[in-house]
Amino acid sequence: MNSVFNKTISLFVLLCLTVTGLLGCQQNSEQTESSPTTLETAAPSGQPISDSMDYAGSLQLDFSSETAKQEVTVKTFVDGDTSHFAVPESVNPEGVLKARFLAVNTPESTGKVEEYGKAASDFTREKLSSAQSIVIESETPSWELDSTGGRYLVWVWYRTDETEEYRNLNIELLQNGLAIANSTANNRYGTTAMAALNDAKEHKRNIYSGEKDPSFYYGEALELTMKELRLHVADYEGMKVAFTGIVTMNSSNSVYVESYDPELDLYFGITVYYGFNLPGAGLEILSVGNEVRIVGTVQYYEPANAYQISGLNYRMMNPDDPGNIQKISDGHSGAFVPTDADTFVNGTVTLETADGLETYPYAALAVNSSIEMTGLQVQTVYTNTDHESASCGAMTLTCEADGLPVTVRTAVLTDSHGDLMTEDQLLHQTIDVRGIIESSEDGYQIKVFSADAITIHD
């Protein structure tokens, strides 16, 4: 009897050791983990996580593995789980790789603004901005696109000093409670990623805390004039605001809304992003020519280097809900203010502020409002020829008017027959344009959205 009992115990112990060894092998095939350490930093909410294993630092970046890897720099921060990286042309001929981080899904902070979205975006920006080196890694030997077909799925590694080991940002987002699961277990680092996620849940960090996000605006919409919004837009970032204006243009899931200020004799405008989830009745409200009441959240959209309004709602069962966008009247049109080149390039506006008189460039105040300019002589034309881009065929015109340079950027333009307008039709011509003032890396330019908004002089 004792002999049978002892044999049973021995078999049980052997089985346990075998399972433990197999689990250890699985971890090692994923990546070699260093000895468990504890986290010394704190989550953005201020909750200490020093009693947890540092999962982001426990992995080691294996440069000899079969996955594709590339050292990069950040070109544009988008949100918590998306960034655009500058890469060699051998990786992408455009020199830019639009990356979606593997295994994580952070709350929205671009189109739709969600709780902890800004915190996740700020976390990613902080970590990568202070990095001495950033390496992106694919899941496989080649760079793979996500379901949108426009972004590549990557692991992001960074270090702040060349003497340090690389840390895995994807897993760091999970452990800090700034991301929810997104095929988290089904990847090469799945075991560690799930452990980091479960650690965040266990210690109730950020998304899993059950507490309100201190950077999220929970209040009712602040009623503003367009002028107040545009002059102090940064002060309202993250807040829900309401204002009225005329819809002047619709493009790329956004509308441009402008409003006239009689005191300054100036039109102020802003971009309103409606995204993909607004119902048909809501889209009808945003028709060009309608005067509308917009209710949404102010956000800075880095890819466009501009503030916009997002997070729009329209509840069809309760059309009078004050949180809805609303149509006030119709039959209007954009102002398309006649503007000469000198005003556009050199014009200024002086305002009385709390700090005294301040002078602003005219175009900076009028950005996102409609404009008309005549007598532009087209000097050069650059055409986007990237067939994988939605902007293939769009043009940038370098023009001159009254001896001053003016840039005109177009959407992809087609005539009434559906034929593409090309640079041969515009180069060295004199044109009049009607469009929207927008900011650019070099200052301000005029964006034209349709072929009939360009008049070519004979």
Side-chain angles (χ1 to χ4, degrees), residues 179-207:
I180 61 174
N182 185 20
S183 297
T184 303
N186 303 320
N187 54 71
R188 64 187 297 106
Y189 304 130
T191 303
T192 305
M194 284 304 301
L197 176 63
N198 291 331
D199 187 78
K201 293 179 178 180
E202 179 185 352
H203 291 87
K204 299 181 178 179
R205 298 188 192 108
N206 292 309
I207 294 172

Side-chain angles (χ1 to χ4, degrees), residues 214-349:
S215 63
F216 185 81
Y217 183 73
Y218 292 92
E220 295 298 323
L222 300 173
E223 298 287 343
L224 303 174
T225 64
M226 180 76 81
K227 174 184 176 181
E228 166 64 19
L229 175 60
R230 284 285 291 109
L231 290 179
H232 305 99
V233 64
D235 295 339
Y236 296 106
E237 184 176 3
M239 296 184 182
K240 186 178 290 186
V241 298
F243 57 92
T244 61
I246 306 297
V247 180
T248 61
M249 203 70 66
N250 189 330
S251 176
S252 302
N253 300 105
S254 298
V255 292
Y256 294 85
V257 179
E258 68 182 17
S259 181
Y260 177 66
D261 177 65
E263 181 182 2
L264 295 175
D265 188 25
L266 187 69
Y267 282 85
F268 290 93
I270 199 163
T271 308
V272 177
Y273 176 78
Y274 57 79
F276 301 90
N277 299 319
L278 206 62
L283 295 175
E284 284 293 323
I285 290 173
L286 297 179
S287 296
V288 172
N290 283 354
E291 181 184 11
V292 295
R293 179 177 184 268
I294 298 294
V295 183
T297 301
V298 179
Q299 66 167 181
Y300 178 70
Y301 184 53
E302 183 152 352
N305 189 30
Y307 285 93
Q308 66 180 18
I309 307 299
S310 64
L312 275 58
N313 287 307
Y314 185 75
R315 300 172 180 84
M316 298 179 62
M317 301 303 293
N318 187 9
D320 296 325
D321 186 329
N324 278 354
I325 56 172
Q326 295 177 338
K327 175 181 172 181
I328 299 173
S329 60
D330 56 23
H332 306 277
S333 63
F336 294 101
V337 178
T339 308
D340 58 47
D342 185 55
T343 299
F344 184 74
V345 176
N346 300 318
T348 59
V349 178

Side-chain angles (χ1 to χ4, degrees), residues 391-408:
S391 299
C392 183
M395 295 176 284
T396 300
L397 318 179
T398 302
C399 305
E400 184 179 292
D402 300 326
L404 295 170
V406 176
T407 300
V408 176

